[in-house]
Amino acid sequence: MGIGKLWGRGRSRSAGSPKQMDPAALEAEAWDWFTAALAWTMFNLSEGGAVVLTTDKHWCAQFVRNSGGMQCEVPANGGGLQGEDQMSPDQEAFLAARGWREPEGDNWVRELAWPAQFGGYEELAGHVVTVIRDVFGVWLPFELRAETIHDNRGELPDVRALGLKGYAAENFRTQPLSTWAELVALERRIIEADKNVARAPHQLRAIIGPDYLQQRGVEILTGGDEAWPRRDRTVDFIGLVGSDHLLVVDVVVDLDDPDHFDREVRAFDGRRVEQGSRAFVHGMVRVDPDLRQVLSNRPALASALTHDEVRIDYLVLAMGKNQRIAVHRFDLSED
């Protein structure tokens, strides 16, 4: 039985706004907000970081960022689910029909390969919410709690956007519907504020990169898209000089000293590679989805890349807080 039906008992519909007096609509809105929050949290999860969603009964879902992308799991019978909490055969069939990989160990699994479109995270979050709500019977996302595991940098994942309270469902039944509506609206504003903060560096990159490349007559093949969040970040810009020379550019902003910046280290092709290395740059070029789309219409350039007949250079434009920009060039000779 949904919370909407429970709250509908014995409540007058003569007062308050129509939206406030529609429990089913508010329940749907809460899960819609939580789906968006979960997608945003997964999108921002750093490599090695993990988040586990739990209730008082058992854990409901866990997701981890590894070198291949995002892996999400929900518990299976005999693993995280024991006794009366176990799934029925119909529920197991429900998961299998929706693309969950049947357990080889203790869990059902879904994966999202890196680099992924933001829509892929939204879709994955929707599948997770469906299991939590419709299979495990969690009435409200506010009943969930989050446990976090340090990422490869030793930092705990940021789960503030999830707004998880660990409240008991019984507490919600005694609250006015307006309280729930206000809480959902507040959490939506928090997500939007987080996105606005994270969007600012993207907007700066979208100005600095094209300005540098266009002033030098470089044709911009990828990068500069104003839409954000759109996909996982590989490199910010790939430009073409002449017919057989790619210039790959990343932009970092808001530095105390633009002459120095911390290079990223990523797990790629089974090893850890540092930003500015040949393995890093050539790897990013190879997997960049926007460049792949461009190459589908440029067979000569695609062939030249495949046969290693294209020169690739890489630089980082580093902007300080005083708006001074330093250009860092890298030697891409063999690592």
Side-chain angles (χ1 to χ4, degrees):
M1 178 183 294
I3 193 78
K5 293 182 180 179
L6 286 171
W7 280 8
R9 295 177 181 175
R11 288 188 174 271
S12 169
R13 297 182 180 270
S14 60
S17 69
K19 183 176 182 181
Q20 289 179 325
M21 300 314 298
D22 187 348
L26 281 172
E27 183 180 357
E29 186 173 346
W31 283 112
D32 181 70
W33 150 71
F34 185 72
T35 301
L38 187 58
W40 176 242
T41 301
M42 288 192 290
F43 179 69
N44 287 293
L45 189 64
S46 298
E47 185 186 330
V51 178
V52 184
L53 303 180
T54 69
T55 65
D56 289 335
K57 291 185 177 181
H58 56 77
W59 69 273
C60 294
Q62 61 184 13
F63 45 98
V64 59
R65 168 86 69 187
N66 55 40
S67 61
M70 184 66 60
Q71 179 168 306
C72 184
E73 300 180 353
V74 297
N77 293 346
L81 301 178
Q82 302 289 335
E84 64 180 12
D85 292 328
Q86 293 191 79
M87 295 185 197
S88 68
D90 285 346
Q91 289 173 323
E92 291 181 313
F94 179 87
L95 263 68
R98 282 156 181 77
W100 289 88
R101 191 168 71 239
E102 295 193 29
E104 297 176 357
D106 295 333
N107 306 321
W108 294 80
V109 179
R110 295 189 78 99
E111 294 171 326
L112 183 64
W114 180 92
Q117 299 291 326
F118 186 71
Y121 290 97
E122 293 176 314
E123 182 179 354
L124 180 58
H127 284 297
V128 173
V129 162
T130 297
V131 175
I132 293 175
R133 182 191 59 211
D134 299 341
V135 176
F136 296 145
V138 175
W139 289 336
L140 297 167
F142 300 113
E143 298 173 50
L144 298 167
R145 292 184 297 274
E147 299 175 3
T148 55
I149 298 173
H150 291 86
D151 61 23
N152 290 344
R153 298 174 299 182
E155 299 176 2
L156 286 174
D158 186 350
V159 295
R160 290 173 298 173
L162 296 177
L164 299 182
K165 313 297 183 184
Y167 294 153
E170 290 75 10
N171 293 340
F172 275 91
R173 298 180 212 172
T174 62
Q175 299 299 317
L177 296 184
S178 59
T179 300
W180 183 15
E182 290 167 3
L183 186 56
V184 172
L186 173 62
E187 297 297 344
R188 285 194 183 277
R189 290 196 294 272
I190 290 173
I191 294 178
E192 192 54 39
D194 282 350
K195 286 185 177 181
N196 285 337
V197 170
R199 187 178 290 117
H202 170 80
Q203 292 173 331
L204 282 175
R205 291 194 294 266
I207 295 171
I208 295 168
D211 182 66
Y212 179 89
L213 294 171
Q214 289 168 0
Q215 285 187 24
R216 288 155 181 81
V218 179
E219 179 187 359
I220 299 175
L221 299 180
T222 72
D225 196 324
E226 295 182 1
W228 192 89
R230 194 170 69 84
R231 65 168 175 85
D232 287 324
R233 187 180 178 190
T234 50
V235 290
D236 293 331
F237 298 91
I238 301 176
L240 182 63
V241 183
S243 61
D244 59 357
H245 176 195
L246 291 184
L247 179 59
V248 181
V249 178
D250 274 327
V251 182
V252 293
V253 299
D254 201 31
L255 298 173
D256 291 326
D257 181 2
D259 293 324
H260 301 89
F261 71 95
D262 294 329
R263 299 191 199 181
E264 291 184 51
V265 177
R266 296 181 186 171
F268 192 77
D269 282 347
R271 59 174 174 155
R272 302 191 66 75
V273 294
E274 185 179 48
Q275 183 180 15
S277 67
R278 178 184 175 86
F280 177 94
V281 176
H282 283 245
M284 294 303 106
V285 167
R286 189 170 75 247
V287 302
D288 189 280
D290 295 333
L291 181 62
R292 189 179 302 122
Q293 184 174 356
V294 169
L295 293 177
S296 67
N297 296 314
R298 299 199 180 194
L301 180 58
S303 176
L305 266 174
T306 300
H307 293 91
D308 201 22
E309 297 170 348
V310 174
R311 171 184 168 186
I312 301 178
D313 287 330
Y314 177 72
L315 61 83
V316 171
L317 303 176
M319 189 180 79
K321 293 179 179 178
N322 60 0
Q323 299 189 347
R324 181 173 72 86
I325 296 176
V327 181
H328 299 262
R329 293 179 171 83
F330 294 83
D331 179 6
L332 299 186
S333 58
E334 290 290 344
D335 298 339

